[in-house]
Every structure is written in C-alpha cells, then in structure tokens.
Amino acid sequence: MTKLTGPQGPKPSRNSTSRYGVYGFLIIAAIFFCIPLYIMVVTSLKGMPEIRLGDLFALPGDPSFAAWTKAWSEACTGVQCDGIQGGFWNSIKISVPSVAISIAIGAINGYALSFWRFKGANVLFGVLLFGAFVPFQVVIFPIIIFFREIGIYGSLLGIILVHTAFGMPIMTLLFRNYFSSLPEELFKAARVDGAGFWQIFFQIMMPLAIPVTVVAVILQTTGIWNDYLLGLIFAGRENLPMTVQLNNIVSATFGVREYNVNMAATILTAMVPLAIYLFSGKYFVRGIAAGAVKG
Amino acid sequence: MDERSNSSQSSQCITPTRSGRKLQLSAVLASVPMAIVALGIFVICVAYSVVLSFTKSKLFPNLNWVGLDQYDRLWGSARWLTSVENLMLYGVLFIILCLLSGFLMAVFLDQKVRFESGFRTLFLYPYAMSLVVTGLVWQWMMEPSLGIQNVVQKLGWESFQFAPLVDSDYAIYGVLIAAVWQSSGLVMALMLAGLRGVDGEIWKAARIDGIPTWKIYLFIVVPMLRPVVITSVVLLAVGVVRVYDLIVAQTGGGPGMATEMPAKFVIDHLTGRSNVGLGMAAATMMLLPVLVVIGPWIYREYVRPAKR
C-alpha cells in the first residue's frame, strides 16, 4: 500500500459525498447549457436525409460543410437568395461606426459629468439614465417620423444614429463611474499646469481609461451585433443586419425546411459575439457587471 | 496657490473665473449630444408617443384628440389582455428561475471546484448570443417530429412529450426555458462576484460557531447579497418588459395568442396593422411600470446627491 507511506495525493476530505454532489450539479448544469450549441453544430454538419431520421443527438455520419456554404452564399433571405453574407457585412457596417461613436460620446459625457459638473448636469444625466430602461417601443415611432422628415429613415446613417443614441446611456454611466473613481488630484494637477478641457481628456483621462474602454467595446459590439428590433425597423432593406436576415432565412423558407442550413446560418450569426466572449473572458464579465447597474 | 479655487470645483461647479467660464463652456458644448439624446429622445419622443396615445392616429399620426378612447379599446382587446397575462406569468417565473439557478450555480462554483473557469464559461456563453439565435435553436430542439421528443420516444418512452411550442397551454413555458437558458448565466456572474466579495472573516466566525454551511448561506450570505439581487432583478425585469426578439424567432406569438407579448403588440400595431394610436397607448402602458420602479431609484441614486 504505497498510498500510506507519506503525505501525498489529494487531501482526504471528510465529506467526499458532498463533493460528488457539487460536481454532479455542475456537470448536469454544464450539459444543459451545452446541448443547444452541440445540436446547432451537429445539425449543421448533417445532410437533410440524415436529419429526417430524427436522431437529433447523433453525430453526423458523413460530416460536411455544404450547409454552411449554402447558408453563407445561397440561402434565401426573403426575395434574394445570396445567403447571409450580405447580412454579415451589413452588421459590420452598422456595428463599427455605432460602437466607435457611442463610445467616444459616452467617454466625453462621463468625463464632463465627473470633472466639469455644470448646472443641470445631474438632471441631464438622470434623464439619460432613465433612457437605459425605457422600452424601445415607447420611442421608436417618433424617431421614425423624425427620420422620415429629414430623409434618413431606412438608411445606414439612420441605424447608426439610433444605435449611438440608445448606447449612450450605458456608455455614459460606465465612463462616469470609472472617471469618478480616479483620484481628483490628477485632474487638479493638470488644471494647475494650465491644461484645458480637451487636453486633460486626451492626454490624461483617455490613456487611463483604456481598461474601461475595452469593456465598453465588448459591451457595445455584442449588444449591437445581437440587436434585432432596431435593425429591422431602422436599417432599411439594403442594410438589414445579420440577425434579421437569419430570421428571414428560417421563417421564410417555402416547402422543405432545411434545418441544416438554418442551423449553419444560426452559428454564423452567433460566431462574432461568441468569439468576442471567448477571447475577452474576464473583460466580458466585467463588462456586464459594470454595464449592469452600479452597486 | 490655486488651492482654494480648485477645492470649490470639487464641491460643485467650476469656479466662475474668466478661464473657468471658458472651460465650462467646453464642458457644456461637449455635452450637447448628450443633451440632444436625453431631451430629444427620452423626453420629447416619449412625450410625443404619450400624446399620440390620446389621438385617433391610424397609419399616419394626427392630433384628433379622443381622450382615453384608445385605452378603453386597449383594455377591451382580448389580444392585449392575453399579452399582459403572458407577460406577468413569464416575467415572474423568468425572474424567479434565473435568480434561483444563477444563485445555485454561483454557490456551487464557489466551493473551490476544479475547472471553475471552464464551468463559468459554459454557464455564461448563452448570454453572449442574441435572442434570435436562442429562439431559433430552442425552436429546433422543441420541434415535435424531429426534436428531443422524437429522440426520447424512439428510446422506448413512447408517451414522452416535449414539444411545448405547438401546444397553446405550454408554449409560454417553451419560451421560458429558452429565456432562462440565455440569461441565468448573467445572474450567476453577478452573484459569484457578490459571493467573492463576502468577507472571509465572516465565514471563519460562522464556522467556529459550528453553523452548517447551508445555514450560513441562507441566513448570513444571502442578506449580504441584497444589492446584487436588486441589480439582477432590475436587469432581468427590464429584459422582461422588452421581450420581443425571442418571441418573434421562437414562436411568432403563437400558437394562437399563446405567446403574445406587449412589446410585440406595439410593433405589430405600428407596422402591419397601422394603428398608431392604439399602439402608442400600449407603449405608454409599458412605460408606466418602468417609470414607477426606475424613476425614484434613479433620482435617489444619481440625481439628488451632488457628492462625489
């Protein structure tokens, strides 16, 4: 019995049954969370005859990426049949400027609110913050009317403006809370040295705000990429984002439902936010915690 | 020394010296986009929507005042009543289930387990995916003839039923499963952060007193997690009122009206049904709970205290 010779191996635990319980629970939960992803991948790699057999969980007998190619470049999204790739590029065209602008404005707002409080700033911020909770349905219609009047309804500019406006509350909150946590001496010293509003912002505050900016980028990119309603209403037929085209592919197929193509398109749509999630790890968690609500 | 003027800055506003005024002007100018959005969208647009709810607006907005007629019609409409009922049932269950499962996952993860970060990644990844994706995947798994139901029946359990989306009595629970799958990881992440923030001394003290672990969690830790619980509930509740994408992707509101929701009611009346007045009345009703719950909270938390 070599095990008894020395203090080696795992520390004996008095309640090992409860350890099994802990792992048992976690593993069952993990399986529950994994199943949909597994099903998506497996289904997308099967051919339709195999899917019709009804073995949802079975591994593909002859895995092929044919459904992926079809989803990317041939599936019908409404009247057009050139796949979801158009939606992919639209989502990029919408996300990149929306993310950049909303973060830039959010950072300036947060900075102004933390160090340059002017009269009425708090009220303004309160109203803006309230905006983070207003259901989109309440404000969408007047914006449609206004955009129609000025001629940007159903355009790329329109959807970018909408995303910027709706991203502003959370971005402002995020940066305001971050800047408020910085020592004020920093700001005072810069003022004594004669630095002005923008100088302090660009040379001192933004370099310090890189971590929170990363969080903001993650939060906004996933949020805007995953948006459906605003894209559907404001983007216009030419610029429909990936989520909207995905839903069109799945719901508008006539005749045979190609579940493999549907699932491939679904994975393609989920890929960008999933990649962001996996690569940003801790920052993603920090982002949702910070973007949530303070405290 | 510039000491004095600077210290007055920190207390409220910028000193009204000449350069100070100029600087404050930059701050005000920099805040113009914020002001436009705050006032333009969240005050004027909201107000306009509310005003339209008192008019006869159909396809195009008009200002033919009809008082509370639209609200009468709204609350007399079977579809709206069903939507509100669905929302209540879905909302209460969604929040409770997310809180429970999120808390449990956080507690179990907090037991110094191996592969903790692996488990955490698995529990949270659905939150990164859109509700459209979530809805479509679960719709596929709940497909009656090819989905989970069929697999289990083939295994020999022939009376097994799991195709909630085609049954109007259970469709809402099908949506609920997908929603909880997507969001409970969020609660887990928030709760785990909360648990990690609990002072280790409290654990030691409770252990020395010989209190069993579950009692420590229930009577000491849970009350300390109150702020996290409030945050989670606020976040989940906002998601509940807004629930739209998931419904559209998973059930389209059906079968019948079994999964209709207020958010969908509004959009449908704005677009397909061209009944702006009624849609705006419904939107105003959606705004009310948000206003009542969130308004005082924002005021207390952010507007009133001028302290840093």
Side-chain angles (χ1 to χ4, degrees), chain B residues 42 53 99 117 141 144 175 192 200-201 211 222-223 227 238 245 274 298 306:
Chain B
F42 300 125
S53 74
L99 284 180
S117 75
M141 294 198 298
V175 176
L192 193 59
E201 296 299 313
I211 306 170
V222 169
V238 170
D245 311 3
S274 308
I298 289 181

Side-chain angles (χ1 to χ4, degrees), chain B residues 163-203:
Chain B
L165 300 182
V166 292
D167 185 333
S168 54
D169 287 339
Y170 296 104
I172 193 95
Y173 302 103
V175 176
L176 191 66
I177 293 174
V180 172
W181 176 81
Q182 204 257 358
S183 299
S184 54
L186 164 74
V187 180
M188 180 274 300
L190 296 174
M191 294 269 190
L192 193 59
L195 288 178
R196 294 282 146 88
V198 172
D199 191 350
E201 296 299 313
I202 291 171
W203 278 105

Side-chain angles (χ1 to χ4, degrees), chain A residues 6 12 122 167 175 212 227 230 288:
Chain A
N122 267 344
F175 279 97
V212 74
D227 156 71
L230 298 177
I288 57 170

Side-chain angles (χ1 to χ4, degrees), chain B residues 247-287:
Chain B
I247 301 290
V248 169
Q250 206 180 351
T251 65
M257 294 194 286
T259 53
E260 284 293 348
M261 291 285 176
K264 189 164 169 291
F265 184 96
V266 177
I267 299 294
D268 286 355
H269 281 79
L270 288 187
T271 55
R273 294 172 169 243
S274 308
N275 195 339
V276 170
L278 191 61
M280 289 298 100
T284 307
M285 297 313 305
M286 283 173 70
L287 182 64

Side-chain angles (χ1 to χ4, degrees), chain A residues 19 23 33 37 43 53-55 114 118 129-130 132-134 137-138 142 184 191 226 273 277 293-294, chain B residues 9-10 23-24 45 49 61 111-112 114 121 124-125 128 130 140 150 154 181 238 242 263 291 297 302 308:
Chain A
R19 286 313 273 178
Y23 283 106
F33 281 94
L37 192 60
T43 307
L53 293 176
D55 295 323
S114 306
F118 48 91
L129 200 56
F130 165 70
F133 298 96
V134 171
Q137 278 79 359
V138 184
E184 205 176 5
R191 291 277 285 120
N226 286 340
Y277 169 61
V293 195
K294 194 181 93 178
Chain B
Q9 266 168 30
S10 57
L23 282 164
Q24 195 177 356
C45 285
S49 289
Q111 307 303 313
K112 299 192 176 65
R114 275 167 170 229
T121 307
L124 190 58
Y125 87 88
S130 72
W140 169 224
N150 174 59
K154 268 179 145 183
W181 176 81
V238 170
R242 282 180 174 172
L291 209 59
W297 175 78
Y302 293 97
R308 237 178 98 86

Side-chain angles (χ1 to χ4, degrees), chain A residues 135 137, chain B residues 75 78-96 172-173 175-176 179 236-244 246-247 257-266 282-283 285-290:
Chain A
Q137 278 79 359
Chain B
W75 287 100
R79 186 173 163 199
W80 172 255
L81 291 176
T82 313
S83 302
V84 173
E85 267 171 37
N86 287 343
L87 184 74
M88 296 283 188
L89 177 68
Y90 166 86
V92 170
L93 290 177
F94 173 72
I95 291 175
I96 291 175
I172 193 95
Y173 302 103
V175 176
L176 191 66
L236 295 172
V238 170
V240 167
V241 179
R242 282 180 174 172
V243 63
Y244 176 81
L246 185 64
I247 301 290
M257 294 194 286
T259 53
E260 284 293 348
M261 291 285 176
K264 189 164 169 291
F265 184 96
V266 177
M285 297 313 305
M286 283 173 70
L287 182 64
L288 273 186
V290 177

